[in-house]
């Protein structure tokens, strides 16, 4: 497959024994992504956000535009592998985690397959300021293939959280 771009959301709200607090986990995750052969084209600053769901810990969130020859399904497998190297994800959905990596957008547009874990654009992207704010910083003109709006336009319609 030719190389394409993806917008990846990164999140952490748990300290890692080696990398330290969540903000450092984000930096270490970007390094791990590069070590696994993903080209980081852009990376946002890391921001703090309040949790969604049962977790009470503040999150560190960022976004990255990457380039890879992997298709979306293979990229998801690689991202889940990277997550697992930072620690197991235990407990209920949206609970604390050392690292969360989500595929948000793909330069080729829409994607879905038999795996409900992988739908591009990410179904919750438009509802999450903690994804939209960092994404708008590095990819403001990238268009959502569903709405036709740019990331900057979508982000401007969401209150900061």
């Amino acid at each position: 497959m030719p190389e394409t771009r993806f917008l990846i959301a990164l999140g952490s709200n748990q300290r890692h024994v080696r990398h330290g607090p969540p903000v450092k986990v984000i930096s270490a995750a970007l390094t791990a992504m590069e070590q696994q052969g993903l080209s980081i084209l852009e990376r946002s600053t890391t921001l703090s956000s309040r949790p969604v769901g049962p977790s009470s810990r503040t999150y560190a969130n960022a976004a990255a535009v990457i380039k890879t020859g992997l298709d979306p399904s293979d990229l998801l497998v690689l991202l889940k592998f990277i997550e697992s190297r930072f620690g197991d994800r235990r407990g209920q959905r949206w609970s604390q985690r050392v690292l969360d990596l989500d595929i948000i957008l793909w330069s080729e547009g829409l994607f879905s397959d038999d795996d409900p874990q992988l739908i591009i654009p990410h179904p919750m992207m438009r509802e999450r300021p903690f994804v939209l704010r960092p994404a708008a910083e590095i990819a403001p003109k990238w268009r959502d293939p569903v709405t036709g709006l740019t990331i900057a336009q979508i982000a401007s319609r969401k209150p900061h959280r």
Side-chain angles (χ1 to χ4, degrees):
M1 176 174 192
E3 289 193 327
T4 58
R5 292 177 303 124
F6 291 87
L7 178 64
I8 308 296
L10 300 92
S12 175
N13 75 340
Q14 190 173 355
R15 181 178 191 80
H16 186 270
V17 68
R18 186 170 32 136
H19 301 299
V23 69
K24 296 209 179 224
V25 168
I26 297 295
S27 292
L30 289 162
T31 299
M33 291 167 66
E34 287 180 315
Q35 289 170 345
Q36 290 296 320
L38 303 176
S39 297
I40 309 289
L41 302 178
E42 299 281 343
R43 81 167 275 185
S44 73
T45 55
T46 302
L47 60 92
S48 291
S49 65
R50 294 193 311 254
V52 172
S55 180
S56 60
R57 296 172 181 247
T58 299
Y59 270 83
N61 292 101
V65 174
I66 67 164
K67 183 169 70 170
T68 180
L70 297 174
D71 68 27
S73 297
D74 290 337
L75 177 60
L76 180 65
V77 169
L78 178 59
L79 294 177
K80 295 307 163 195
F81 169 75
I82 293 169
E83 282 181 0
S84 72
R85 290 184 54 211
F86 279 75
D88 289 334
R89 203 169 177 172
R90 296 188 182 116
Q92 56 187 259
R93 191 175 185 191
W94 298 320
S95 61
Q96 68 184 22
R97 65 203 54 180
V98 175
L99 181 62
D100 187 29
L101 301 171
D102 289 327
I103 300 171
I104 303 302
L105 289 169
W106 180 34
S107 60
E108 301 300 301
L110 302 169
F111 181 88
S112 68
D113 63 8
D114 296 333
D115 184 354
Q117 298 293 318
L118 182 56
I119 299 169
I120 304 172
H122 191 287
M124 298 299 295
M125 166 193 79
R126 293 169 215 88
E127 305 304 317
R128 294 180 168 169
F130 57 86
V131 169
L132 292 168
R133 285 177 49 214
E137 179 185 324
I138 60 171
K141 295 182 181 180
W142 197 331
R143 289 195 180 274
D144 172 3
V146 173
T147 65
L149 298 172
T150 66
I151 295 297
Q153 289 169 326
I154 298 168
S156 71
R157 297 173 180 198
K158 282 287 168 205
H160 293 305
R161 197 173 169 234

